[in-house]
Amino acid sequence: MEVISTGIPELDLALGGGLVKGGLIVVSYESDLNGSAGWILGLKIFKNRIDNEDLGILINHRYPLSKLFNRLSIVGLNAEVMLREGRLKILDVFGSQYDIKYPYEGVKQFGSFDPKTYIPKMVELFEKLLTPAQIENSIGAIFTTGAFAMRIGEERYMEIIEESMAFNEKLKLEKGISFPTRIYFLNKDEVSPRFSAWLSSIADQVISISSHEVENRIGGKLRITKSILPNFELKSFRYWVVRGGIEIL
């Protein structure tokens, strides 16, 4: 298995070396403090991979782009600049559903949104947007899993994820191309325990975060609860949120 760095040395070590390239990674968190530490960590990893020359592909299920861009800026990711430079692509499911049009070249929509045709349209967009080399050297962010599960139903979303796994397998067998490494942002309070358990069961790696406030600072516990890498050992860390990043203690 090929491994790529998160850009956070302590996290790489805990995962058993880093992220599984082409793997499915779940960053799991709860609603306390708006789940901020969870999505900050996930977006920080996403930005670090882009800074390391990966193409960023963000699948936006949750926000109008103005709100999404504000959240990306927290970790130092200037979405408008990165879109213009071709370092970031956004597949805008939210905007597709509500027919919101944007002038950015790197923002792609479905035209019309239908959960039944989600995977075929996603595949079509991938083939139009990306060369095989870009597909292999890219980092995906599914932002957020809970928002999409609530919109279309958990059962249908599980089917969609399985369809994407099947497409990934066919891509490997027929063309020798690996799917992008994907980070699923999962607020556990937005979905059922069954859905959360199912997603964790098919994931290659799971990072779980709980947060609380102490003396006007956000901190908590970060646990690596799953990794298929041979050097993985179950570990937990304390952390603080510092200037749009996670400081691991």
Side-chain angles (χ1 to χ4, degrees), residues 177-194:
I177 300 170
S178 295
F179 221 48
T181 308
R182 287 96 67 211
I183 302 172
Y184 282 75
F185 292 71
L186 178 67
N187 184 333
K188 292 188 292 185
D189 291 334
E190 292 181 332
V191 298
S192 70
R194 175 174 173 268

Side-chain angles (χ1 to χ4, degrees), residues 180-247:
T181 308
R182 287 96 67 211
I183 302 172
Y184 282 75
F185 292 71
L186 178 67
N187 184 333
K188 292 188 292 185
D189 291 334
E190 292 181 332
V191 298
S192 70
R194 175 174 173 268
F195 180 88
S196 181
W198 178 85
L199 187 61
S200 295
S201 74
I202 65 168
D204 298 299
Q205 296 169 304
V206 178
I207 303 169
S208 180
I209 296 177
S210 61
S211 57
H212 58 268
E213 184 175 354
V214 178
E215 298 178 352
N216 297 319
R217 299 179 70 189
I218 298 175
K221 182 178 288 188
L222 186 157
R223 295 183 299 143
I224 313 300
T225 57
K226 180 181 180 181
S227 178
I228 63 172
L229 295 175
N231 292 330
F232 165 68
E233 295 180 5
L234 186 66
K235 292 184 180 180
S236 64
F237 302 90
R238 307 300 299 181
Y239 72 88
W240 292 110
V241 176
V242 180
R243 295 185 297 277
I246 300 288
E247 180 181 294

